[in-house]
Amino acid sequence: MTRFLPKRLDFWFFAKIVIFSLFGFFLIYPFVNMFIRGFTSTDGTFSLAYFQRFAEYKYYYQTLFRSLSVAVSTTFFAMLVGMPMAYAMSRYNLIGKRVINIMIIMSLMSPPFIGAYSWILLLGRSGVITKFFVGLGINMPSIYGYLGIILVFTLKLFPYIYLYVSGALGSIDSSLEEAAENLGSNKLRRLMTITFPVILPTILSGAIMVFMSALADFGTPMLIGEGYKVLPVLVYEEYMSEIGGNAGMASALSMIVIMVSMFVLLMQKRFVAKRKYTMSALRPPQIIKLRVIPKIVLSCLAFIVSLVAFLPQIVVVYTSFVKTSGPVFVAGYSLDSYRTIFYRLARNITNTFTFSTIAMFFIIIIGILVAYLMVRRPSKSSTVLDVFVMFPYVVPSAIMGISLLLAFNRRPLLLAGTSFIMIVAYAIRKMPYTVRSASAILQQIDPSIEDASINLGVSPIKTFFTVTSRLMLPGIISGAILSWISTINELGSSVMLYTGRTATISVAIYTEVIRNSFGTAAALASILTVATILSFIIFALISKGKVSVI
Amino acid sequence: MSVDVLINNVTKRYGDFTAIEDMSFKINKGEFFTLLGPSGCGKTTLLRMIAGFNTIEGGDILFDTTNINKLPAHKRDIGMVFQNYAIFPHLSTYDNVAYGLKARKVPKDEAHKRIMDALKVVQIEQLKDRMPHELSGGQQQRVALARAIVIEPKILLMDEPLSNLDAKLRVQMRSTIKKLQSKLGITTIYVTHDQEEALAISDRIAVMNLGKVMQIGSPDEVYRRPSNDFVADFIGTSNFLEGKIISSENGSMIIDVMDYQFTVQFDKNHQGDVLLSVRPEHFFFSEESKGIKGEIILSTFLGDFINYEIQLPNGDILEVNEYTEKVGKIRNNGPVTLQINEKSVSIFTRDGKERLVR
Ligand SMILES: Nc1ncnc2c1ncn2[C@@H]1O[C@H](COP(=O)(O)OP(=O)(O)O)[C@@H](O)[C@H]1O
Ligand SMILES: [Mg+2]
């Protein structure tokens, strides 16, 4: 019997068991359950009917092609914007780099779908800019549908490319490019034959982030897509129309989305693993000093791009102070929108911050333990744990919400509709940020520091809590803030899991926009934006300017 | 306070790999004992077994008469100095040193006195409020040392404590450690792969290779009387020569090396081929025709002695040292004849495993 137990029956063994049980119960079981439902017909027998239906009807399968098309186009345009931005910002002496940089990061961190919402206000049927051009007798192309989705996604997601590529460009040792120059390469040749191939894996990682986000997001296409239905929207609608049914179609569709994401991620892993150049720039590349005119032109261009990306947040905050009369904005300013939300939607605000705080608590505790197990106790089971923790990262959060609902909507496991299930969804979905950041810092901590403490008479477990976690703190906090920012802005799983009592700010924004109550939506979105910016400032202070949000 | 340490048939395995194989020896109370051997021979592994960080797969470790196999690391009362110092980066010098006393709940006044004493002993009392990142490598090393001795441990363990310091500081810290140890009289187990450091600092040395002890002895013994070819080769410089026993009787035998014959006193009776190990300073140049014939191909003046590379007819190279005082001038390249100081030569069985002479 004792043969089956590990040699060390210590705290970490029990921690591992507890964490495995939690992930097993709240992640693996729901997904396995969903998987089974995708293959089970209404009479409870095995069936491929849902997948057949998917393949047969254009209504279904075209959403997959649309999703892929949106994701591919978004990735393409994000690279088109992100790479030159990164190159210009890291190689030339542009003016106002800090401001540009902050605007870009902020647009990445912005609440989801406020991009869609703001662009509707600007370019929609009764948008400010549209009306302006109509007044001039010019008809604007419609923002609704494919074009709008791509526009919003590109502006929101190009920062991934920008951040990844700037990071890589900054870590190329300048001697590498100098060597190429020395061997007689001209600038363009050098860029194409040395710089580009070296940073290719990084570009690819950024592209994958863009691709996956574009594939998974459902708020934006829901608002701005109108007739152009993409896969996540279809999943949502199928689920909503099947409530009470067995949700087989929604499950099958979810499996398809997950399979696409996993496939893309595996491809990237294979490709990147093969050509990974580790570099630490001994001599970082030199900043090229441009002459005045080119410098001003290039700075303006970069500024405009980042401003356009940041625009939705300005629009949201601005419109939150504009007077409204029912669904329309009228002349003049007021705080009415805020009055309304504090009167009518105060609960959503407290929900968002309460749930996120509690989720944060669990994320930090479990995140530290998981990071420690992965870094200091590597084993097969730790690797499995790693996969469990990172899995939610590739699952669109709406789908995660559905899986939890399907798993816990019946006695004896009736958790649907509770705050608890929302907190669980947040904790699992947003854990990866904290785990990554905590393990990164733990890897920097010399294990003999822990040994020294034990050697001096402090028990291993007390050493972990007083020394190790104390030293991990900066990494944990910055990871936790990223988790936090992402949690307060979370829409997908919230929309699936909320009930009247547990609705959050993002759910309220969503429903207010659907009800054409733009003023209150703007006020709510402003609250999120401000909370996000504040959290981000704290994050930047804690990470001492070494900001890495990717 | 100090204790004997007994290592009895101790074994350590990592999966199929045996890192320490059935090792037994005794370290005496108050002794400065060094584990010396090439990288990967198991020194750290053994030290960490004594400290309690590695499990023991076989055998026993005893402090005096107490078996400590099952005693958790934090209850062993051992001071340890780590290779990279392992200073707590979030604590000041003073708090680093205070750490072990806090764990032992030593009253504040007494703790303060002991901390200040320890800081004084390692000469860093003026740095007590500095944070670790404001200290140099040598100063961090002193903090580590103070932190280890302030708890008045039964045993002091040090794992290559000087390997991260520059050469000059290394020699300086070496003597600091040696003086401190003899003053405190703590049983000390010191790990190094640097044979010169081991010779300089130790009362006794255990020379290790591939998880086994090759020889235990004083620095003088392991240098002058290596028990096998590994020790001869690892410590100092040795020239290896093949030879043959021509005759052996009445405790003395005649050895033939490349037609050069000489007599040595032997310890163990043996026949046939042998392996000789000769230190560079144990050759001398001879005017007689008797001796090993060779040719000087390179001479290097090193101050108090001159080092010659001498090529033998079979192509092998010997290293020979000659004191500058003795001859006064550097010999020219060209043919020479070498004889061996037969009192200092080490003679092993042909496989090098067993020493045949005293
Ligand atoms: N945790 C471990 N797992 C597997 N093998 C190990 C482990 N630690 C050490 N070893 C192996 O044991 C041998 C001895 O290592 P070590 O004691 O660190 O050597 P030394 O300190 O003498 O350089 C080496 O071959 C090393 O690879
Ligand atoms: Mg070692």
Side-chain angles (χ1 to χ4, degrees):
Chain A
M1 182 61 217
T2 49
R3 219 149 46 87
F4 298 103
L5 292 171
K7 255 180 255 151
R8 283 194 285 197
L9 271 179
D10 59 1
F11 170 83
W12 293 107
F13 174 71
F14 293 105
K16 210 177 237 184
I17 288 188
V18 170
I19 294 169
F20 262 109
S21 320
L22 286 176
F23 275 93
F25 193 62
F26 290 115
L27 181 73
I28 307 307
Y29 159 62
F31 275 97
V32 170
N33 175 51
M34 186 155 126
F35 186 81
I36 293 172
R37 292 210 189 185
F39 288 101
T40 312
S41 66
T42 30
D43 58 16
T45 54
F46 174 81
S47 131
L48 289 171
Y50 301 114
F51 292 92
Q52 267 161 4
R53 185 136 48 108
F54 179 82
E56 237 163 76
Y57 291 96
K58 188 165 182 216
Y59 174 78
Y60 290 115
Y61 67 72
Q62 76 176 359
T63 59
L64 176 61
F65 294 128
R66 284 174 171 175
S67 277
L68 290 175
S69 157
V70 163
V72 169
S73 312
T74 301
T75 310
F76 173 77
F77 286 112
M79 285 165 80
L80 208 62
V81 180
M83 295 200 309
M85 276 295 274
Y87 194 82
M89 286 282 284
S90 49
R91 291 298 163 87
Y92 297 110
N93 59 335
L94 303 189
I95 311 161
K97 274 192 185 178
R98 275 178 73 102
V99 178
I100 294 173
N101 207 26
I102 287 174
M103 287 202 291
I104 296 177
I105 293 175
M106 281 316 303
S107 53
L108 181 66
M109 303 261 93
S110 70
F113 72 79
I114 74 152
Y117 159 73
S118 297
W119 286 108
I120 289 175
L121 287 184
L122 295 171
L123 294 173
R125 271 175 211 105
S126 48
V128 187
I129 301 177
T130 317
K131 276 187 185 159
F132 176 74
F133 279 103
V134 169
L136 295 177
I138 301 168
N139 269 328
M140 299 283 290
S142 169
I143 183 81
Y144 302 97
Y146 182 69
L147 258 173
I149 300 177
I150 305 275
L151 171 78
V152 173
F153 275 170
T154 302
L155 289 175
K156 166 135 177 117
L157 300 175
F158 89 86
Y160 277 126
I161 305 279
Y162 166 80
L163 291 169
Y164 274 88
V165 174
S166 336
L169 283 175
S171 66
I172 294 184
D173 197 291
S174 54
S175 55
L176 198 60
E177 290 179 350
E178 281 164 16
E181 194 175 355
N182 189 251
L183 292 170
S185 278
N186 67 25
K187 232 186 197 155
L188 188 65
R189 229 187 110 76
R190 201 165 80 213
L191 189 64
M192 297 317 290
T193 57
I194 303 290
T195 317
F196 187 72
V198 166
I199 63 171
L200 191 61
T202 319
I203 296 176
L204 219 69
S205 306
I208 294 294
M209 286 303 291
V210 174
F211 187 94
M212 304 270 267
S213 312
L215 192 68
D217 188 17
F218 110 113
T220 302
M222 195 88 179
L223 285 181
I224 211 170
E226 298 212 328
Y228 195 81
K229 201 176 284 177
V230 294
L231 193 47
V233 174
L234 180 70
V235 175
Y236 174 73
E237 289 183 357
E238 282 297 318
Y239 181 76
M240 285 307 176
S241 67
E242 275 182 337
I243 285 182
N246 75 343
M249 192 67 209
S251 300
L253 294 175
S254 301
M255 293 330 300
I256 292 169
V257 179
I258 293 174
M259 266 156 4
V260 173
S261 316
M262 299 273 260
F263 176 75
V264 172
L265 202 71
L266 285 179
M267 291 306 290
Q268 183 241 10
K269 276 239 155 83
R270 289 197 62 158
F271 187 75
V272 173
K274 250 190 256 157
R275 39 182 93 202
K276 202 171 197 170
Y277 313 96
T278 44
M279 273 180 302
S280 52
L282 297 173
R283 261 174 345 112
Q286 283 199 323
I287 308 270
I288 299 159
K289 295 228 159 37
L290 291 172
R291 275 172 297 118
V292 180
I293 303 283
K295 179 164 126 180
I296 290 176
V297 171
L298 208 56
S299 303
C300 282
L301 276 176
F303 188 77
I304 290 170
V305 171
S306 57
L307 186 65
V308 171
F310 188 58
L311 197 59
Q313 294 176 70
I314 301 174
V315 170
V316 157
V317 175
Y318 173 77
T319 51
S320 71
F321 294 108
V322 176
K323 257 205 183 110
T324 53
S325 157
V328 284
F329 291 106
V330 294
Y333 299 95
S334 85
L335 289 173
D336 285 348
S337 299
Y338 286 96
R339 265 181 222 118
T340 313
I341 59 168
F342 284 120
Y343 170 69
R344 200 159 55 80
L345 300 167
R347 170 162 234 158
N348 302 55
I349 299 171
T350 46
N351 277 350
T352 288
F353 292 109
T354 324
F355 297 169
S356 303
T357 308
I358 300 173
M360 198 53 33
F361 175 77
F362 288 112
I363 287 177
I364 291 175
I365 302 282
I366 298 176
I368 302 177
L369 298 179
V370 169
Y372 189 90
L373 285 169
M374 271 158 45
V375 177
R376 291 284 198 256
R377 302 287 165 96
S379 69
K380 283 210 186 76
S381 58
S382 300
T383 313
V384 175
L385 197 57
D386 188 15
V387 174
F388 281 6
V389 172
M390 292 301 163
F391 176 64
Y393 210 62
V394 305
V395 178
S397 57
I399 289 177
M400 178 142 167
I402 293 178
S403 79
L404 285 169
L405 269 183
L406 291 177
F408 299 112
N409 62 359
R410 248 187 297 249
R411 287 180 193 290
L413 297 176
L414 184 59
L415 297 170
T418 60
S419 328
F420 178 75
I421 197 75
M422 297 190 68
I423 292 168
V424 166
Y426 296 159
I428 292 184
R429 182 77 175 82
K430 309 301 181 187
M431 180 99 55
Y433 298 100
T434 303
V435 170
R436 277 193 185 184
S437 157
S439 16
I441 198 166
L442 186 55
Q443 260 150 5
Q444 313 276 311
I445 300 172
D446 183 349
S448 58
I449 289 181
E450 290 157 58
D451 290 345
S453 164
I454 295 167
N455 172 256
L456 288 166
V458 176
S459 70
I461 202 62
K462 198 171 167 206
T463 294
F464 172 74
F465 284 108
T466 58
V467 177
T468 319
S469 39
R470 164 70 188 73
L471 294 176
M472 286 167 76
L473 212 54
I476 294 165
I477 292 180
S478 52
I481 293 175
L482 285 187
S483 293
W484 160 268
I485 291 176
S486 177
T487 307
I488 58 177
N489 289 313
E490 166 71 15
L491 176 68
S493 54
S494 311
V495 156
M496 300 312 309
L497 294 168
Y498 85 98
T499 58
R501 272 185 320 109
T502 61
T504 60
I505 297 181
S506 50
V507 169
I509 299 175
Y510 177 73
T511 50
E512 293 297 289
V513 171
I514 298 282
R515 293 173 48 202
N516 278 341
S517 178
F518 290 124
T520 44
L524 287 166
S526 301
I527 292 178
L528 274 190
T529 301
V530 170
T532 302
I533 293 179
L534 284 180
S535 313
F536 187 74
I537 291 173
I538 297 174
F539 169 74
L541 287 178
I542 286 174
S543 30
K544 299 220 176 65
K546 276 183 268 166
V547 175
S548 159
V549 293
I550 48 178
Chain B
M1 273 309 280
S2 211
V3 293
D4 291 336
V5 179
L6 256 87
I7 310 286
N8 280 344
N9 308 101
V10 164
T11 299
K12 173 77 203 171
R13 282 187 207 94
Y14 293 116
D16 295 340
F17 175 73
T18 308
I20 298 289
E21 198 174 337
D22 195 19
M23 197 175 273
S24 297
F25 56 85
K26 180 180 174 208
I27 300 160
N28 300 318
K29 218 181 282 294
E31 182 174 40
F32 199 117
F33 190 88
T34 296
L35 303 175
L36 170 67
S39 177
C41 72
K43 308 178 295 288
T44 298
T45 301
L46 180 63
L47 201 73
R48 290 176 63 84
M49 288 166 91
I50 299 170
F53 296 124
N54 280 348
T55 52
I56 300 170
E57 261 76 291
D60 298 291
I61 298 179
L62 284 79
F63 293 171
D64 284 337
T65 52
T66 322
N67 186 315
I68 52 105
N69 281 22
K70 294 244 147 52
L71 194 65
H74 64 281
K75 294 188 179 147
R76 289 196 182 185
D77 220 0
I78 291 174
M80 187 155 178
V81 177
F82 294 82
Q83 184 163 10
N84 29 24
Y85 322 137
I87 302 292
F88 304 120
H90 60 302
L91 299 179
S92 68
T93 299
Y94 186 91
D95 290 334
N96 259 285
V97 180
Y99 194 90
L101 296 178
K102 280 211 185 100
R104 285 167 177 70
K105 303 206 164 58
V106 175
K108 248 205 161 95
D109 295 344
E110 188 197 334
H112 178 72
K113 198 180 153 299
R114 278 165 65 177
I115 294 163
M116 291 316 289
D117 283 349
L119 291 174
K120 209 167 287 167
V121 170
V122 296
Q123 301 156 358
I124 49 166
E125 67 263 50
Q126 74 285 4
L127 302 176
K128 72 180 169 54
D129 297 320
R130 291 262 187 101
M131 292 306 281
H133 65 264
E134 301 168 314
L135 299 174
S136 70
Q139 290 167 337
Q140 289 194 25
Q141 181 61 274
R142 286 168 194 269
V143 177
L145 206 53
R147 186 177 69 179
I149 58 170
V150 77
I151 59 172
E152 292 169 6
K154 294 193 198 103
I155 303 168
L156 189 58
L157 306 181
M158 296 193 231
D159 192 354
E160 315 224 7
L162 305 182
S163 60
N164 288 339
L165 301 178
D166 63 51
K168 195 158 176 195
L169 207 52
R170 197 148 58 209
V171 173
Q172 197 187 325
M173 274 308 285
R174 191 161 88 186
S175 62
T176 306
I177 291 176
K178 176 76 187 151
K179 282 181 208 148
L180 181 64
Q181 192 273 342
S182 61
K183 188 169 127 198
L184 300 176
I186 306 179
T187 313
T188 299
I189 308 176
Y190 186 96
V191 164
T192 182
H193 66 266
D194 179 342
Q195 47 100 12
E196 187 194 316
E197 188 174 297
L199 294 176
I201 207 169
S202 322
D203 293 329
R204 279 196 307 153
I205 299 172
V207 185
M208 290 171 60
N209 188 33
L210 301 174
K212 291 194 188 119
V213 170
M214 297 282 111
Q215 183 175 4
I216 297 183
S218 67
D220 179 72
E221 279 164 354
V222 293
Y223 183 80
R224 300 214 307 186
R225 302 272 172 252
S227 19
N228 51 45
D229 60 341
F230 174 82
V231 178
D233 191 31
F234 190 74
I235 294 181
T237 311
S238 287
N239 295 291
F240 287 102
L241 292 164
E242 287 171 24
K244 202 181 262 141
I245 298 173
I246 302 206
S247 72
S248 78
E249 53 192 38
N250 304 333
S252 72
M253 56 188 173
I254 299 172
I255 308 272
D256 176 291
V257 184
M258 311 174 96
D259 298 330
Y260 165 52
Q261 297 179 357
F262 59 95
T263 311
V264 293
Q265 306 298 310
F266 71 98
D267 231 16
K268 291 177 183 131
N269 217 337
H270 197 72
Q271 303 288 326
D273 291 346
V274 289
L275 185 70
L276 286 75
S277 145
V278 190
R279 304 282 184 199
E281 66 270 28
H282 295 150
F283 284 109
F284 55 90
F285 293 97
S286 165
E287 301 306 321
E288 300 171 34
S289 62
K290 178 183 152 191
I292 300 170
K293 304 280 188 281
E295 189 180 336
I296 297 180
I297 54 170
L298 181 73
S299 40
T300 312
F301 180 70
L302 292 169
D304 51 350
F305 63 89
I306 302 153
N307 175 272
Y308 295 101
E309 274 186 25
I310 292 166
Q311 187 162 38
L312 300 183
N314 65 9
D316 287 356
I317 306 275
L318 295 182
E319 252 191 76
V320 175
N321 290 344
E322 188 171 40
Y323 281 99
T324 315
E325 283 290 294
K326 219 159 103 188
V327 279
K329 68 170 184 60
I330 301 176
R331 291 171 190 273
N332 296 325
N333 287 8
V336 286
T337 305
L338 292 172
Q339 291 190 1
I340 294 174
N341 178 348
E342 61 247 0
K343 287 214 176 62
S344 307
V345 66
S346 292
I347 297 172
F348 307 116
T349 50
R350 180 63 196 83
D351 61 7
K353 298 253 178 299
E354 202 182 331
R355 185 180 177 90
L356 298 172
V357 292
R358 242 174 292 126

